[in-house]
């Protein structure tokens, strides 16, 4: 949203920012215990998960093409596919916490199944054991340490191959 000269909403959809709505909602609830807001905004959080999942290809990996925006880093040439995969998983885990808090076991199970699928896809298609990195991008298979921040943030890489790379 822009405020100058008149308030208006931009037409750019940022994949990661939309998913971080879920994380922010959970963080807000944990800090305030404001259940009313959690209940009121749960449908929006649920929709962000659904939108995020629509971006996955047949392998369960975030599609990498020129039709989407994922911020994650200022560097325009940095491929963000692997980082976006990690943000999706991280956000879904917070969504699962919301569903559990709201007593919605069917959504908790649904989200958990998607988390497992996305994690397995990341290990199968993005982890390059020869390089010791997650790789990103269909063409360049860009290796890089920046993606590890996102995988580590969601406390998944600590139990996976290559965790020695992040200390």
């Amino acid at each position: 949203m822009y405020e100058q000269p008149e308030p208006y909403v931009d037409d750019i959809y940022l994949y990661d920012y939309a998913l971080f709505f879920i994380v922010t909602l959970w963080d807000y609830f944990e800090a305030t215990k404001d259940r009313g807001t959690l209940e009121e905004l749960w449908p929006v959080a649920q929709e962000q998960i659904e939108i995020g999942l629509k971006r996955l290809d047949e392998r369960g990996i975030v599609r990498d093409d020129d039709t989407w925006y994922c911020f994650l880093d200022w560097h325009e040439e940095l491929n963000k596919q692997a980082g976006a995969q990690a943000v999706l998983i991280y956000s879904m885990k917070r969504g699962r916490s919301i569903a559990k808090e709201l007593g919605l076991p069917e959504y908790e199970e649904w989200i958990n199944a998607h988390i497992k699928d996305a994690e397995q896809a990341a290990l199968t298609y993005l982890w390059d054991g020869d390089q010791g990195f997650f790789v990103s991008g269909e063409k360049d298979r860009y290796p890089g340490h920046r993606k590890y921040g996102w995988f580590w943030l969601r406390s998944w890489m600590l139990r996976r191959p290559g965790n020695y790379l992040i200390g």
Side-chain angles (χ1 to χ4, degrees):
M1 173 167 283
Y2 298 96
E3 296 181 13
Q4 301 294 330
E6 298 293 325
Y8 69 96
V9 177
D10 193 357
D11 62 352
I12 297 174
Y13 173 85
L14 295 171
Y15 185 81
D16 49 336
Y17 279 31
L19 290 168
F20 282 136
F21 174 83
I22 305 159
V23 176
T24 303
L25 179 59
W26 179 247
D27 288 348
Y28 171 80
F29 172 75
E30 283 195 310
T32 66
K33 302 304 181 203
D34 180 356
R35 189 174 176 87
T37 298
L38 191 67
E39 290 172 353
E40 181 180 348
L41 294 179
W42 162 246
V44 178
Q46 181 185 357
E47 183 179 24
Q48 298 315 304
I49 294 170
E50 292 167 359
I51 291 169
L53 290 170
K54 287 179 185 175
R55 182 95 210 136
L56 300 182
D57 65 17
E58 66 281 348
R59 302 168 301 161
I61 297 296
V62 174
R63 275 191 318 278
D64 185 35
D65 58 38
D66 294 332
T67 66
W68 71 307
Y69 295 98
C70 183
F71 185 77
L72 291 183
D73 192 287
W74 281 101
H75 197 289
E76 286 194 26
E77 292 179 23
L78 176 69
N79 186 282
K80 297 166 178 88
Q81 182 184 37
Q85 185 86 9
V87 168
L88 173 65
I89 296 166
Y90 175 68
S91 299
M92 286 194 299
K93 287 186 174 188
R94 296 311 175 269
R96 180 180 60 194
S97 296
I98 295 170
K100 182 176 183 175
E101 177 64 33
L102 295 177
L104 302 169
E106 67 281 2
Y107 287 109
E108 190 179 351
E109 292 170 18
W110 178 81
I111 294 168
N112 200 50
H114 285 290
I115 290 168
K116 288 180 181 179
D117 291 346
E119 287 179 341
Q120 186 57 53
L123 282 175
T124 302
Y125 298 106
L126 300 177
W127 175 253
D128 185 326
D130 293 337
Q131 295 187 67
F133 280 104
F134 279 100
V135 292
S136 194
E138 299 298 324
K139 296 176 187 167
D140 300 330
R141 306 286 293 164
Y142 174 82
H145 63 281
R146 293 180 185 187
K147 291 176 279 302
Y148 276 96
W150 296 106
F151 280 105
W152 178 81
L153 178 62
R154 61 185 189 69
S155 301
W156 178 56
M157 271 307 295
L158 296 176
R159 301 181 309 274
R160 299 292 190 233
N163 61 359
Y164 59 91
L165 295 173
I166 61 172

